[in-house]
Amino acid sequence: MATDGTTTDIHVAKSIADTLPKKEKEAALGLDQNAVKVVAQYRFTPATYRGTPIPYRMTVEVNYQIF
């Protein structure tokens, strides 16, 4: 996270695509791309140290349920 509350350096740490057969892998990779787009839109209150905003790293888990 940047000092202004925006997200930076977004990447997928763990993908379900790694566990699926080749036929279903493309759909799962599409969900990964969508998760990155969604997290890029997040806005947070920045972390502070002695009242000054500082950059920080965090993990965000995105779960999809398909019915």
Side-chain angles (χ1 to χ4, degrees), residues 35-54:
V36 169
K37 286 181 189 178
V38 168
V39 172
Q41 296 174 18
Y42 285 9
R43 297 296 176 261
F44 296 91
T45 301
T48 58
Y49 177 73
R50 295 186 178 175
T52 303
I54 58 170

Side-chain angles (χ1 to χ4, degrees), residues 1-6 46-47 53-56:
M1 306 300 149
T3 57
D4 64 357
T6 59
I54 58 170
Y56 62 102

